[in-house]
Amino acid sequence: MGERRAGLVVTIALAVLALVGVSSALLALDPRTTGADALRTGGLAAGSIVALYALWLNDRRRRVEEQRQDVERQRQELETRRAELDRDRVSDERFARAVELLGSEADQVRVGALHALAGLARSNPSYTQTVLDVLCSYLRRPFLHPRYGDAPAKPDDDGEWPGPATANAERKLQVRLSAQRIIADLLPAADDVAAPRYDLDLTGATLEYFDLSGRRIGTMTLRYARLYSTTNLSRCVVTGPAWFTGMTTGSGRLSSLFRCTMTEFQDRAWFSRVHLHGRAEFDGTTFGGRTKFADSTVEGSLAMTGCVFAGEANFKAVRLAGRVDVAGTTWQGEVPELRTDP
């Protein structure tokens, strides 16, 4: 304020000097100039000085306003970064708390933790792959159920329903089924080509009624997984490699169906050494890369009508016990010989 006042005083003094000096000079040097003309010219000179001061003042005010706006912008950016850090901190705390609750003995607490993780992934998409990794890790934990046939009833079960051991396994199964459904819900739709690529690693997992139909998946790993009841991978789009090596399906009343119809494998698909106790359906599936079914066993029927094998297909030493149907299938290179074992 003091600087502006001093500038105004100096400007007025200069304007007065210009008015007096110019008017006096004109009257002294040009006899033809009247007093009015000299005063008018001096006034113009004084006005010019005042105008220059006004321009300088406006420019200074503009620079001050720009500096103020820059400071405000920096303050807003700082507040935004602070809010993002707070949001990330809260998300990290929610994630850590949910993962901790997954170890609870109470099955309802574990289900709540699973849904908390799903909510975190939906509100913060950057967590989606991490949440999927945690859910897959949970499903990879060892799990036995008396009705699977590979988990004999404990002495306190007495083979009755609901015996203590069977009831405990059933409660654990319900939590696992919730994890499976959440995985399917978090994956994008198969036709969403702009969606991020999410990978699934279910190596050695025990799954029942596993359904990922109509989902888009990056790399899919089901090596040595055990699948019970119906497994549905129909209409999926798998953009990365698909690994099913050593996968088995349940036998007896849990053998059911392995369905992979109208699916698109854009990369390699490895079904080597799989053992399917029930039916296997691959109708209309596209295998875009190398495909390997070598050393596999299908005890039920095998349906591969209308499939497209765009890459090399290896069906060496495949053991088929049921009906085989490959009508309308397109092969790249040598057509493999698929027939039912006598």
Side-chain angles (χ1 to χ4, degrees), residues 12 19 22 72 92-93 99 124 148 153 155 184 209 214 222 226 255 264 272 278 292 316:
I12 294 174
L19 175 63
V22 171
E72 181 66 20
D92 291 342
E93 291 175 354
V99 171
N124 193 341
Y148 291 166
Y209 290 110
L222 277 168
R226 298 184 304 160
S255 61
E264 181 182 353
S272 56
K292 188 174 183 180
K316 294 181 180 178

Side-chain angles (χ1 to χ4, degrees), residues 97-174:
R97 179 58 177 163
V99 171
E100 181 181 354
L101 291 176
L102 279 178
S104 172
E105 292 295 328
D107 52 291
Q108 65 270 22
V109 174
R110 295 198 299 275
V111 171
L114 293 174
H115 284 283
L117 288 171
L120 176 61
R122 294 188 183 99
S123 62
N124 193 341
S126 63
Y127 271 88
T128 301
Q129 183 62 65
T130 302
V131 170
L132 287 171
D133 291 341
V134 171
L135 297 179
C136 289
S137 176
Y138 182 80
L139 292 174
R140 290 199 303 268
R141 296 172 62 182
F143 175 69
L144 299 175
H145 197 292
R147 72 165 176 262
Y148 291 166
D150 52 5
K154 296 180 179 179
D156 61 350
D157 199 4
D158 297 327
E160 299 179 358
W161 178 266
T166 305
N168 183 52
E170 191 66 19
R171 286 194 297 269
K172 292 181 179 179
L173 175 61
Q174 296 308 312

Side-chain angles (χ1 to χ4, degrees), residues 4-335:
R4 187 181 304 175
R5 183 177 300 171
L8 180 60
V9 171
V10 171
T11 301
I12 294 174
L14 291 175
V16 171
L17 290 175
L19 175 63
V20 174
V22 171
S23 299
S24 300
L26 286 174
L27 290 173
L29 298 176
D30 189 357
R32 294 174 300 175
T33 302
T34 65
D37 291 338
L39 186 61
R40 186 183 304 111
T41 305
L44 290 175
S48 299
I49 293 175
V50 174
L52 288 175
Y53 173 73
L55 289 175
W56 173 83
L57 194 62
N58 287 335
D59 182 68
R60 184 174 181 276
R61 185 181 296 113
R62 179 186 58 80
R63 290 198 304 269
V64 171
E65 181 63 21
E66 289 177 350
Q67 292 175 357
R68 188 191 66 77
Q69 292 178 356
D70 186 59
V71 170
E72 181 66 20
R73 183 171 57 253
Q74 292 178 2
R75 187 188 65 80
Q76 291 178 354
E77 292 176 353
L78 182 61
E79 290 295 331
T80 301
R81 287 197 295 269
R82 183 179 301 167
E84 291 175 351
L85 290 174
D86 290 341
R87 185 167 57 250
D88 291 342
R89 178 182 56 79
V90 172
S91 298
D92 291 342
E93 291 175 354
R94 289 175 57 192
F95 176 77
R97 179 58 177 163
V99 171
E100 181 181 354
L101 291 176
L102 279 178
S104 172
E105 292 295 328
D107 52 291
Q108 65 270 22
V109 174
R110 295 198 299 275
V111 171
L114 293 174
H115 284 283
L117 288 171
L120 176 61
R122 294 188 183 99
S123 62
N124 193 341
S126 63
Y127 271 88
T128 301
Q129 183 62 65
T130 302
V131 170
L132 287 171
D133 291 341
V134 171
L135 297 179
C136 289
S137 176
Y138 182 80
L139 292 174
R140 290 199 303 268
R141 296 172 62 182
F143 175 69
L144 299 175
H145 197 292
R147 72 165 176 262
Y148 291 166
D150 52 5
K154 296 180 179 179
D156 61 350
D157 199 4
D158 297 327
E160 299 179 358
W161 178 266
T166 305
N168 183 52
E170 191 66 19
R171 286 194 297 269
K172 292 181 179 179
L173 175 61
Q174 296 308 312
V175 180
R176 297 174 68 86
L177 291 176
S178 296
Q180 293 178 192
R181 287 191 293 269
I182 291 173
I183 287 176
D185 290 341
L186 291 180
L187 291 173
D191 58 358
D192 189 356
V193 296
R197 164 177 163 164
Y198 297 121
D199 302 330
L200 298 180
D201 184 359
L202 290 163
T203 302
T206 300
L207 308 170
E208 184 173 344
Y209 290 110
F210 190 47
D211 187 354
L212 295 182
S213 56
R215 298 297 171 183
R216 177 173 289 266
I217 308 165
T219 298
M220 184 171 188
T221 306
L222 277 168
R223 288 190 179 105
Y224 306 104
R226 298 184 304 160
L227 308 178
Y228 293 95
S229 300
T230 300
T231 300
N232 192 355
L233 303 179
S234 298
R235 304 185 311 281
C236 286
V237 175
V238 184
T239 60
W243 307 104
F244 298 88
T245 306
M247 179 190 72
T248 62
T249 61
S251 57
R253 67 186 182 92
L254 294 178
S255 61
S256 192
L257 172 66
F258 181 81
R259 176 174 290 162
C260 194
T261 60
M262 305 300 293
T263 297
E264 181 182 353
F265 293 100
Q266 296 182 353
D267 205 316
R268 70 193 72 180
W270 240 241
F271 288 87
S272 56
R273 301 196 304 279
V274 302
H275 193 152
L276 307 179
H277 288 88
R279 310 194 307 275
E281 296 181 357
F282 292 88
D283 299 314
T285 291
T286 299
F287 298 89
R290 294 180 59 195
T291 307
K292 188 174 183 180
F293 279 83
D295 301 310
S296 295
T297 300
V298 182
E299 296 187 7
S301 60
L302 174 62
M304 280 190 166
T305 61
C307 290
V308 175
F309 288 87
E312 176 188 349
N314 184 348
F315 281 80
K316 294 181 180 178
V318 174
R319 293 173 291 279
L320 303 172
R323 180 173 175 269
V324 180
D325 190 355
V326 293
T329 291
T330 303
W331 305 90
Q332 177 70 27
E334 183 180 354
V335 178

